[in-house]
Amino acid sequence: MMKKEKPVGTAPGYTRVARIFVGAFVLLAIAIAGALFMGSTPWKIPHAASGSVSHRYELAGYWDGAEVPGGNFDRPNGIAVAPDGDVYVVDARKRVIRLDASGGFRAEWGRDGSGPGEFSNPVDVAVAPDGSVFVSDYDQDRVQKFTKDGRYLLQFGRPGDGPGEFDAPAGLAVDGAGSVYVADFYHHRIQKFSGEGVFQTMIGHPGQRGDGALNYPTGIHAADDGRLIVADAYNYQLQWFDANGRPARRAAHLWPRPATSATGFNVPTGVTVGPAGFIHVADSGNHRVVLLSQQGGYVAEWKIPDADPAIHSPGKIAVSPDGHQVYAADYAGNRIIVLRLTDPASGRGR
């Protein structure tokens, strides 16, 4: 056995000094942790109050796009619902598909390319109150705007680090005033634009700790008044921002970590809110849709029964105008999952 040598430069009182140092370090770490916790608004998916909410998800069916002239869905990722109930989907065939509320085909547009109405990697879609449609292109670092029938109107964004520039726009939302919010994935921030593509402000900043810190934001819900809920994918949490872009609420823990139970998320990539205030989350790493109460309490979940464990899915999520149906884009399954929100306590669907 080799002889254990004393560390170079160690004084005779090394052990006692080391213990004092370690103790002081632990106390300092606890103090810092406490400051981080107290300096934020804690939230970590509490259970909804017992008996207060009984709603659940039921599977209503799957849409595979068999009626779409351009072919079945191929890795659908982005999904949105228009005020009239029509459903818009973007997929790997570099197109936008418009469906009615029953999944019937209405229109499709788009093709491979970098010109107007062309896409390289469309990953999300959002619909404004006036029916105009916005599509983000992850590879081309731009957002395009169309009429509901696919007529090209304008585009905004370009590669870069400055205001109005993107590095992989991954998520979209439109508020009641028509302002557009873009989840700027690799810049770890949200950018706000007018409906005509004019830059307005930045929301959030890169980071893994602290209010407003974002780590690969992927999905956004915008309330009519501009309040936001952000699916902060690799901080494994949701974050709330007020109408002025200030952090309002977040999940608080010492270091971001994935969760596989009712106490957290594993890469949440999409979030939306129905008319009754229920929050629906696409928890892609756990292959499930999570239902939260208006206050953010855990209510229920629905897991993909045949999920591919190697692929995070579902990606994005949307809800019908009446709140009865929830649509999740199952990237791995090449389909749209349609869930019905029910209330067993009342004996009827919502």
Side-chain angles (χ1 to χ4, degrees), residues 177-197:
S179 297
V180 183
Y181 301 83
V182 183
D184 195 0
F185 189 71
Y186 284 109
H187 285 144
H188 313 288
R189 64 191 182 188
I190 307 298
Q191 296 198 55
K192 180 181 179 181
F193 298 83
S194 74
E196 300 306 308

Side-chain angles (χ1 to χ4, degrees), residues 3 6 46 58 72 74 81 149 201 203 218 224 274 278 320 332:
K3 180 181 178 181
K6 187 190 331 189
E58 288 184 356
N72 290 25
D74 181 10
V81 176
D149 297 314
T201 191
I203 299 169
T218 309
D224 285 346
F278 288 107
S320 61

Side-chain angles (χ1 to χ4, degrees), residues 39 191 220 239 288 290:
Q191 296 198 55
I220 313 169
Q239 287 208 58
R288 65 180 178 173
V290 179

Side-chain angles (χ1 to χ4, degrees), residues 64-65 68 70-79 88-97 108-109 119-125 135 329 331 334-336:
D64 61 5
V68 179
N72 290 25
F73 295 131
D74 181 10
R75 290 162 286 166
N77 193 41
I79 190 165
Y88 291 80
V89 179
V90 294
D91 73 355
R93 295 187 190 272
K94 308 176 194 300
R95 62 183 177 173
V96 181
I97 307 104
E108 70 175 315
W109 69 87
F119 306 106
S120 175
N121 186 9
V123 297
D124 204 9
V125 57
V135 181
Y331 181 93
N334 298 314
R335 62 193 178 186
I336 303 302

